[in-house]
């Protein structure tokens, strides 16, 4: 390479190449929830994947923790323009959870405890791109941030990372979830600034 962009070293962090357009960096971890924080006991918690054939694959809290657990170090980007670098999480890869799932559908609706929904293409959940995360910064995930467990899809705007995740339902068409019905972009790539539709 050897090409250093002009003025980079003298300019402020809006020119940081890891910061998507229109974003600013924050050290805080803002809480953004459309409703109250549900109180979910891990003894009652269950996560499921439902296919177009009616098959339901489900995991209790204990069964989830018997699966291989990944350490994830990633930047996150909220559509309200904050980004946070180098967040650390632990969770189970969606590749692991989809390993035995037979589906031809290409879209997924994520459903949360409390009723939140968000849509995502299946391809964006696979190949090491998404997790069911239950630890943040070495601690159990705080309920405000989606504990006991949330979806983590760091390459898309953070509204796609459904807190208090309860299940995924396969869909043959891309249908809008909660924010997508309210004007947010159907896909939400932060590098393309796909904020609103
Ligand atoms: N269940 C649920 N998940 C959600 C939301 C929500 O309101 N409910 N808000 C989304 C939005 S808009 C963002 S930016 C992130 C915020 O996550 P945080 O509160 O941990 O920062 O969660 C996303 N996941
Ligand atoms: Mo958001």
């Amino acid at each position: 390479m050897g090409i250093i962009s002009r003025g980079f070293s003298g300019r402020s962090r809006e020119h940081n190449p890891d910061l998507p357009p229109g974003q600013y960096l924050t050290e805080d971890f803002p809480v953004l929830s459309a409703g109250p924080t549900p109180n979910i006991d891990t003894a009652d918690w269950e996560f499921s994947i439902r296919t177009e054939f009616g098959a339901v694959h489900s995991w209790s809290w204990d069964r989830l923790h018997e699966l291989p657990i990944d350490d994830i170090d990633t930047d996150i980007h909220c559509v309200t323009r904050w980004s946070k670098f180098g967040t650390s999480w632990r969770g189970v890869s969606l590749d692991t959870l989809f390993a035995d799932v037979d589906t031809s559908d290409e879209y997924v609706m994520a459903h949360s405890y409390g009723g939140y929904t968000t849509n995502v293409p299946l391809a964006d959940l696979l190949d090491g791109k998404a997790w069911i995360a239950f630890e943040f910064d070495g601690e159990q995930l705080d309920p405000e941030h989606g504990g006991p467990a949330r979806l983590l899809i760091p390459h898309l705007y953070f509204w796609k990372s459904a807190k208090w995740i309860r299940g995924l339902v396969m869909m043959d068409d891309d249908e809008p979830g909660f924010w997508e019905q309210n004007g947010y972009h159907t896909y939400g790539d932060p590098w393309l600034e796909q904020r609103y539709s």
Side-chain angles (χ1 to χ4, degrees):
M1 296 274 286
I3 298 170
I4 295 173
S5 42
R6 272 173 301 129
F8 176 74
S9 60
R11 302 286 284 278
S12 58
R13 26 166 87 128
E14 63 256 23
H15 292 268
N16 187 317
D18 293 328
L19 195 59
Q23 297 291 110
Y24 67 87
L25 267 181
T26 182
E27 298 293 323
D28 307 332
F29 194 176
V31 172
L32 281 129
S33 304
T37 296
N39 185 357
I40 307 144
D41 193 330
T42 54
D44 306 323
W45 184 90
E46 191 176 67
F47 170 75
S48 66
I49 300 175
R50 191 162 85 218
T51 75
E52 69 272 33
F53 307 116
V56 180
H57 303 253
S58 59
W59 293 265
S60 65
W61 188 253
D62 289 345
R63 270 198 64 208
L64 185 81
H65 284 75
E66 288 163 10
L67 299 172
I69 294 171
D70 288 353
D71 286 292
I72 308 121
D73 199 322
T74 188
D75 303 341
I76 53 179
H77 313 290
C78 175
V79 71
T80 62
R81 298 185 182 273
W82 57 267
S83 290
K84 190 170 168 61
F85 283 176
T87 59
S88 60
W89 306 80
R90 298 188 86 216
V92 173
S93 168
L94 267 297
D95 293 303
T96 301
L97 295 163
F98 270 96
D100 295 325
V101 174
D102 176 27
T103 181
S104 302
D105 281 351
E106 289 177 16
Y107 297 95
V108 176
M109 187 69 81
H111 293 260
S112 294
Y113 290 97
Y116 185 84
T117 55
T118 188
N119 56 300
V120 60
L122 176 59
D124 288 84
L125 296 181
L126 302 180
D127 291 325
K129 292 200 282 287
W131 295 267
I132 300 298
F134 41 74
E135 276 185 35
F136 176 80
D137 236 354
E139 311 270 350
Q140 290 270 358
L141 184 58
D142 198 308
E144 286 187 324
H145 288 297
R150 77 183 296 163
L151 194 55
L152 178 64
I153 319 175
H155 71 286
L156 300 177
Y157 280 126
F158 212 37
W159 88 77
K160 296 287 183 180
S161 292
K163 304 197 279 190
W164 317 296
I165 189 73
R166 180 166 63 87
L168 305 177
V169 177
M170 300 309 305
M171 309 188 287
D172 59 351
D173 282 321
D174 194 13
E175 288 167 36
F178 174 76
W179 280 121
E180 295 83 3
Q181 287 171 40
N182 286 282
Y184 282 26
H185 196 277
T186 188
Y187 183 65
D189 182 339
W191 294 97
L192 300 177
E193 281 210 84
Q194 294 175 337
R195 298 177 191 276
Y196 310 105
S197 53

